[in-house]
């Protein structure tokens, strides 16, 4: 997980939101406060000006009434002089100039000594004209604000009517410096802005400290969640309090504990499943809901001769080579097993596939399990069993049919014929002996196939043992064949069952005699291989030989290269099969080599330990 940028962190967001909320609140409060304060100061300024003009209004009105009524004596000051006296000292920091105007818009007096030239002149002022034009009833005080062009200050003008009875006999025109009020507001705004800045700085510092109390547990939980994602469940989140975040931390720790327990359980079950799948002799393939392979164990990969990496995400029908015949939906509903033939004529290889759909409680198929069984050996055994039954039936039926025919002929009177009867009896006896040999060989093979088969082994000088068997056949042979013996001169001791080994050599040598032509030669040889710790025994003839394509099958039961000739010679087709079973039981191997029309050579090995020679020498 990548590191969170500071400008993207919740810490900064929390502080910014906190500061912005405080700033917004202070701005709202400041705007309301400044507006109300400005109104209050302006009203107070105007009220103070009007309050100061009220006494002057009364005095000026008396003076003008006196002048208009003619009651002013020559000894008394004139109207202008009286007004000038009343206006003296009115100029102040707030009041710029006060002028007294009569009903004809003439200036009767001014409080500004530097502007005395305006006395007696007409004053063209829109405010005064509007007041005089409106007439009775007397208008309220008129005022306006303007900006002085020279100084740039804001000025407030007040026009107060002088009323005598119902007539407006004059007016007081006041110009005051209202800019002072706005200057005070600027100072107040500066103070408020400074206070706001200081408050925001303090708020930001407090926000950082407050945010840490909230974001620190969250950062700890985030760090812990990252460790959990990596598989580390040993850490615990520190609990800073018992508020909601503290309760969240406690819940997070409980969740971590439960996840750790669930992970341990899952890992244990996963190991069990992996162990089961690994040690299963059957192949197992699992797919997702789309039929793509998501799991395959080693036996399945070995059966299909594929690697696990290459088949993942491959379609199951494609992997099994049946995409042209079956789709994934067909396999999901397949109740019977499928037989998959991957073999060739030279090497059979057959698999049986069973399919089971993985369904949820709703019935939705989320995947498929395919179990593969290698039934090549089973099919081979079944085929051999069928062939064995057929061969036994055939081998028994042939002599029995012959015997029945001859016995029927004898029963019908042929026994009285002195020439035919002995021939029929001899054939019947020969077929009976052949069936006895066949049954004995079958009993021998059946006994060797049983689990309670035991060998009665003993240490024997094999060279002397082999020579005795060769001598026995040499003295009893009726054919014109010669023996060529090549055996070691020193004794060689091996542990064998002499009865079973005698039967092996009898079967091999008998076959060599049967198939050897007149004047042929049979060779006997023993070769010691000390490095391999084995002894190789061979018997060769100069017969018709065996075709190369039939050579690998001669040790199978009832197999004959030339069945007609073998029956004529009295063979059952079980001699070499019995020899193979007995050699295998002794821990050796047996095989053959042959060239057509030049002869056949049978080899077999026996375990041989040269270090044991000293014990028997």
């Amino acid at each position: 997980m990548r590191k969170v940028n500071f400008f993207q962190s919740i810490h900064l967001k929390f502080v910014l939101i906190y500061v912005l909320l405080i700033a917004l609140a202070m701005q709202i409060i400041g705007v309301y406060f400044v507006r109300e304060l400005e109104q209050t100061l302006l009203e107070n300024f105007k009220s103070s000006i009007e309050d100061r003009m009220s006494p002057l209004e009364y005095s000026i009105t008396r003076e003008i009434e006196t002048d208009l009524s003619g009651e002013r004596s020559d000894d008394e000051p004139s109207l202008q002089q009286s007004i000038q006296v009343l206006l003296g000292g009115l100029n102040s920091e707030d009041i710029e100039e006060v002028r007294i105007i009569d009903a004809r818009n003439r200036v009767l007096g001014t409080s500004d000594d530097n502007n005395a030239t305006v006395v007696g002149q007409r004053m063209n002022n829109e405010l005064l004209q509007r007041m005089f034009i409106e007439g009775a009833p007397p208008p309220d005080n008129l005022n306006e604000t303007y900006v002085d062009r020279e100084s740039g200050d804001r000025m407030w003008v007040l026009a107060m009517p002088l009323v005598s009875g119902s007539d407006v006999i004059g007016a007081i025109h006041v110009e005051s410096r209202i800019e002072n009020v706005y200057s005070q507001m600027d100072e107040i705004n500066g103070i408020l802005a400074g206070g706001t800045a200081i408050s925001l700085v303090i708020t930001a510092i407090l926000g950082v400290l407050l945010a840490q109390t909230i974001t620190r547990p969250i950062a700890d939980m985030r760090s812990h969640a990252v460790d959990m994602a990596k598989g580390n469940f040993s850490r615990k989140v520190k609990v800073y309090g018992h508020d909601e975040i503290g309760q969240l931390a406690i819940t997070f720790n409980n969740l971590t504990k439960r996840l750790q327990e669930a992970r341990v359980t899952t890992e244990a079950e996963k190991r069990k499943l992996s162990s089961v799948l690994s040690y299963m002799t059957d192949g197992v393939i699992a797919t997702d809901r789309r039929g793509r392979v998501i799991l395959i164990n080693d036996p399945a990969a070995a059966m299909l001769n594929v690697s696990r990496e290459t088949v993942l995400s491959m379609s199951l029908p494609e992997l099994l080579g049946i995409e042209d015949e079956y789709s994934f939906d067909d396999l999901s509903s397949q109740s019977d097993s499928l037989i998959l033939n991957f073999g060739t004529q030279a090497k059979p290889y057959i698999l049986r596939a069973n399919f089971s759909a993985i369904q949820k409680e709703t019935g939705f198929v989320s995947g498929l399990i395919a179990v593969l069984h290698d039934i090549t050996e089973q099919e081979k055994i079944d085929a051999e069993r069928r062939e064995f039954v057929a061969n036994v039936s055939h081998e028994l039926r042939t002599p029995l049919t012959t015997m029945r025919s001859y016995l029927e002929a004898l029963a019908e009177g042929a026994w009285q014929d002195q020439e035919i009867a002995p021939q029929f009896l001899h054939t019947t006896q020969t077929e009976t002996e052949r069936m006895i040999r066949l049954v004995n060989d079958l009993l021998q093979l059946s006994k060797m196939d049983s689990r309670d088969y035991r060998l009665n082994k003993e240490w024997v000088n094999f060279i002397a043992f082999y020579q005795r068997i060769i001598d026995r056949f040499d003295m009893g042979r009726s054919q014109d064949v010669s023996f060529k013996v090549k055996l070691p001169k020193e004794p060689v001791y091996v542990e064998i069952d002499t009865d079973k080994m005698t039967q092996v050599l009898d079967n091999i040598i008998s076959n060599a005699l049967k198939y050897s032509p007149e004047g042929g030669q049979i060779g006997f040889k023993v070769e010691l291989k000390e490095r391999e710790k084995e002894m190789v025994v061979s018997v060769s003839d100069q017969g018709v030989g065996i075709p190369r394509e039939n050579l690998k099958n001669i040790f199978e039961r009832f197999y004959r290269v030339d069945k007609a000739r073998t029956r004529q010679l009295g063979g059952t087709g079980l001699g070499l099969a019995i020899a193979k079973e007995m050699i295998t039981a002794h821990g050796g191997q047996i095989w053959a080599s042959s060239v057509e029309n030049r002869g056949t050579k049978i080899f077999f090995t026996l375990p041989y330990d040269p270090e044991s020679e000293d014990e028997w020498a």
Side-chain angles (χ1 to χ4, degrees):
M1 183 180 292
R2 67 183 183 89
K3 186 177 181 181
V4 177
N5 192 328
F6 172 75
F7 295 100
Q8 296 177 340
S9 65
I10 190 175
H11 194 109
L12 179 62
K13 293 177 182 178
F14 184 86
V15 174
L16 287 177
I17 292 174
Y18 182 68
V19 171
L20 290 175
L21 288 175
I22 296 297
L24 179 62
M26 294 188 68
Q27 286 298 318
I28 294 174
I29 295 173
V31 169
Y32 178 77
F33 172 75
V34 169
R35 189 186 65 180
E36 293 297 325
L37 179 62
E38 182 178 0
Q39 279 186 330
T40 301
L41 290 177
L42 289 174
E43 290 176 359
N44 290 339
F45 178 82
K46 294 175 181 180
S47 297
S48 65
I49 297 299
E50 291 176 354
D51 290 343
R52 293 176 64 181
M53 292 299 108
S54 294
L56 181 62
E57 176 188 4
Y58 177 76
S59 300
I60 296 299
T61 301
R62 300 280 80 77
E63 291 293 337
I64 293 176
E65 287 178 347
T66 302
D67 187 71
L68 291 176
S69 63
E71 297 179 356
R72 185 179 300 277
S73 63
D74 295 334
D75 298 336
E76 295 178 347
S78 63
L79 177 61
Q80 287 81 1
Q81 291 176 345
S82 300
I83 291 174
Q84 199 65 35
V85 172
L86 291 174
L87 294 177
L90 285 178
N91 290 345
S92 64
E93 183 179 356
D94 295 333
I95 298 175
E96 179 71 19
E97 182 182 9
V98 179
R99 293 180 184 182
I100 306 301
I101 311 299
D102 61 10
R104 293 177 294 179
N105 281 336
R106 288 186 306 171
V107 179
L108 298 178
T110 177
S111 63
D112 186 2
D113 296 335
N114 297 325
N115 200 18
T117 56
V118 300
V119 177
Q121 297 180 3
R122 292 180 64 85
M123 185 175 178
N124 295 322
N125 187 281
E126 183 181 354
L127 197 66
L128 294 174
Q129 289 177 1
R130 187 170 67 247
M131 182 182 63
F132 288 129
I133 291 173
E134 290 177 358
D140 295 333
N141 297 339
L142 301 177
N143 61 86
E144 65 179 2
T145 302
Y146 72 95
V147 179
D148 189 9
R149 295 180 179 179
E150 295 181 0
S151 63
D153 294 338
R154 280 168 286 194
M155 306 295 293
W156 183 62
V157 178
L158 174 65
M160 299 180 63
L162 300 176
V163 180
S164 175
S166 59
D167 298 328
V168 178
I169 60 174
I172 300 176
H173 183 270
V174 182
E175 291 186 1
S176 59
R177 300 184 185 89
I178 200 171
E179 184 67 28
N180 295 335
V181 176
Y182 291 102
S183 298
Q184 292 178 2
M185 289 303 303
D186 290 340
E187 293 178 2
I188 293 173
N189 287 334
I191 295 172
L192 184 62
T196 302
I198 295 173
S199 300
L200 290 178
V201 171
I202 296 174
T203 300
I205 296 173
L206 293 177
V208 170
L209 298 177
L210 180 61
Q212 286 182 348
T213 61
I214 298 176
T215 59
R216 185 184 302 165
I218 297 176
D220 289 347
M221 284 185 278
R222 174 187 173 274
S223 176
H224 184 49
V226 172
D227 291 339
M228 287 173 58
K230 296 178 180 178
N232 181 14
F233 294 89
S234 59
R235 287 184 53 190
K236 286 189 176 181
V237 178
K238 184 178 179 181
V239 180
Y240 293 93
H242 296 284
D243 54 1
E244 289 83 354
I245 296 180
Q247 294 296 324
L248 177 61
I250 295 173
T251 305
F252 197 88
N253 289 332
N254 293 333
L255 176 62
T256 302
K257 184 178 179 181
R258 296 290 181 86
L259 285 176
Q260 185 176 13
E261 294 174 353
R263 181 173 178 268
V264 171
T265 304
T266 303
E267 288 294 331
E269 295 298 327
K270 185 178 179 181
R271 285 194 297 270
K272 291 179 183 178
L273 179 60
S274 177
S275 178
V276 169
L277 291 177
S278 298
Y279 289 99
M280 282 181 65
T281 57
D282 296 332
V284 178
I285 304 173
T287 72
D288 59 12
R289 61 186 181 88
R290 296 181 180 177
R292 294 175 299 189
V293 176
I294 59 175
L295 182 146
I296 180 171
N297 66 348
D298 293 338
M303 289 179 183
L304 299 174
N305 193 23
V306 295
S307 62
R308 182 176 301 176
E309 293 77 12
T310 57
V311 302
L312 293 179
S313 299
M314 183 184 292
S315 171
L316 180 61
E318 180 183 357
L319 176 60
L320 299 180
I322 55 175
E323 65 273 15
D324 295 335
E325 303 175 10
Y326 297 91
S327 65
F328 176 71
D329 294 333
D330 295 335
L331 297 181
S332 300
S333 58
Q334 182 72 24
S335 58
D336 298 330
S337 59
L338 293 180
I339 303 300
L340 310 175
N341 191 350
F342 295 99
T344 60
Q345 187 175 2
K347 185 178 180 181
Y349 186 52
I350 303 173
L351 299 179
R352 183 176 69 241
N354 296 91
F355 303 96
S356 176
I358 305 173
Q359 290 184 329
K360 296 183 178 180
E361 295 179 355
T362 58
F364 178 76
V365 176
S366 59
L368 191 67
I369 296 292
V371 181
L372 304 180
H373 307 272
D374 186 354
I375 60 172
T376 305
E377 194 65 27
Q378 180 181 347
E379 289 292 321
K380 183 179 178 181
I381 291 173
D382 291 342
E384 289 178 351
R385 183 175 65 248
R386 292 190 294 268
E387 184 180 0
F388 177 78
V389 173
N391 288 332
V392 171
S393 301
H394 183 73
E395 292 296 332
L396 290 176
R397 182 178 61 184
T398 300
L400 288 174
T401 302
T402 302
M403 291 173 61
R404 184 179 65 178
S405 300
Y406 286 1
L407 290 174
E408 287 177 355
L410 291 171
E412 291 176 358
W415 61 273
Q416 297 177 357
D417 191 330
Q418 294 182 358
E419 294 181 2
I420 298 177
Q423 183 181 353
F424 281 10
L425 291 174
H426 175 72
T427 302
T428 303
Q429 182 180 3
T430 301
E431 295 297 333
T432 303
E433 291 175 355
R434 179 183 169 191
M435 285 192 297
I436 291 173
R437 288 196 304 271
L438 176 61
V439 172
N440 288 335
D441 289 344
L442 290 174
L443 291 174
Q444 181 69 36
L445 285 173
S446 177
K447 185 176 181 181
M448 295 184 71
D449 289 338
S450 63
R451 296 182 179 178
D452 58 349
Y453 178 73
R454 295 290 184 273
L455 294 176
N456 297 319
K457 291 184 178 182
E458 58 180 320
W459 287 95
V460 176
N461 180 3
F462 188 80
I463 304 302
F465 169 76
Y466 194 17
Q467 186 64 58
R468 287 195 300 270
I469 295 176
I470 296 172
D471 292 341
R472 174 162 56 83
F473 275 94
D474 189 16
M475 290 185 293
R477 73 177 185 273
S478 59
Q479 300 167 256
D480 183 13
V481 294
S482 61
F483 286 2
K484 182 180 179 181
V485 181
K486 187 177 180 181
L487 303 178
K489 296 181 180 180
E490 66 276 6
V492 178
Y493 287 90
V494 293
E495 190 178 15
I496 59 174
D497 186 326
T498 56
D499 292 339
K500 301 301 184 292
M501 194 56 59
T502 299
Q503 188 176 358
V504 170
L505 292 172
D506 285 350
N507 288 339
I508 295 174
I509 297 173
S510 297
N511 284 341
L513 288 171
K514 289 177 184 178
Y515 295 102
S516 290
E518 292 292 332
Q521 185 184 78
I522 297 177
F524 304 92
K525 183 179 179 181
V526 173
E527 183 181 0
L528 301 179
K529 293 185 177 181
E530 296 183 0
R531 180 176 297 180
E532 290 81 3
K533 293 185 177 181
E534 64 181 12
M535 176 177 62
V536 181
V537 182
S538 63
V539 178
S540 62
D541 62 56
Q542 296 178 343
V544 295
I546 302 172
R548 179 176 296 180
E549 63 271 13
N550 302 119
L551 192 61
K552 61 181 179 180
N553 300 320
I554 63 174
F555 295 100
E556 296 181 2
R557 301 176 184 184
F558 292 107
Y559 184 82
R560 301 182 182 93
V561 179
D562 187 350
K563 298 184 179 181
R565 187 166 183 266
T566 303
R567 290 195 183 96
Q568 291 175 1
L569 296 175
T572 62
L574 297 174
L576 290 180
I578 294 174
K580 179 182 178 181
E581 296 290 342
M582 290 183 176
I583 292 298
T584 304
H586 279 82
Q589 294 179 340
I590 187 169
W591 70 96
S593 66
S594 180
V595 179
E596 284 190 83
N597 300 320
R598 294 183 59 182
T600 302
K601 195 172 186 177
I602 305 295
F603 301 86
F604 68 86
T605 63
L606 290 174
Y608 160 68
D609 188 1
E611 297 179 358
S612 64
E613 289 292 325
D614 296 337
E615 300 178 5
W616 302 97

